[in-house]
Amino acid sequence: MIYEIETNDLAETIRELKAKDGTGEIPATAALASGVLASFFEPIGPLVVARR
């Protein structure tokens, strides 16, 4: 999955996501493999959206 996150404090955003993991706000699911891998990237140019 890819999520777009807008924040001025990425560390705090990560803490909030971890605190909500497995709760009603971010329920756990068997569809995800055990363990977590996350990468964060900062854009180097404008967002490009495909035409449909």
Side-chain angles (χ1 to χ4, degrees):
M1 292 183 187
I2 298 176
Y3 294 98
E4 183 175 335
I5 299 173
E6 293 186 32
T7 181
N8 291 325
D9 188 348
L10 184 57
E12 178 59 25
T13 300
I14 293 169
R15 280 190 288 278
E16 288 179 28
L17 290 170
K18 285 182 179 181
K20 293 177 181 181
D21 186 35
T23 69
E25 291 185 76
I26 304 178
T29 173
L32 298 174
S34 61
V36 175
L37 172 62
S39 298
F40 297 91
F41 302 91
E42 185 173 333
I44 59 171
L47 177 64
V48 177
V49 179
R51 287 188 246 167
R52 295 180 184 234

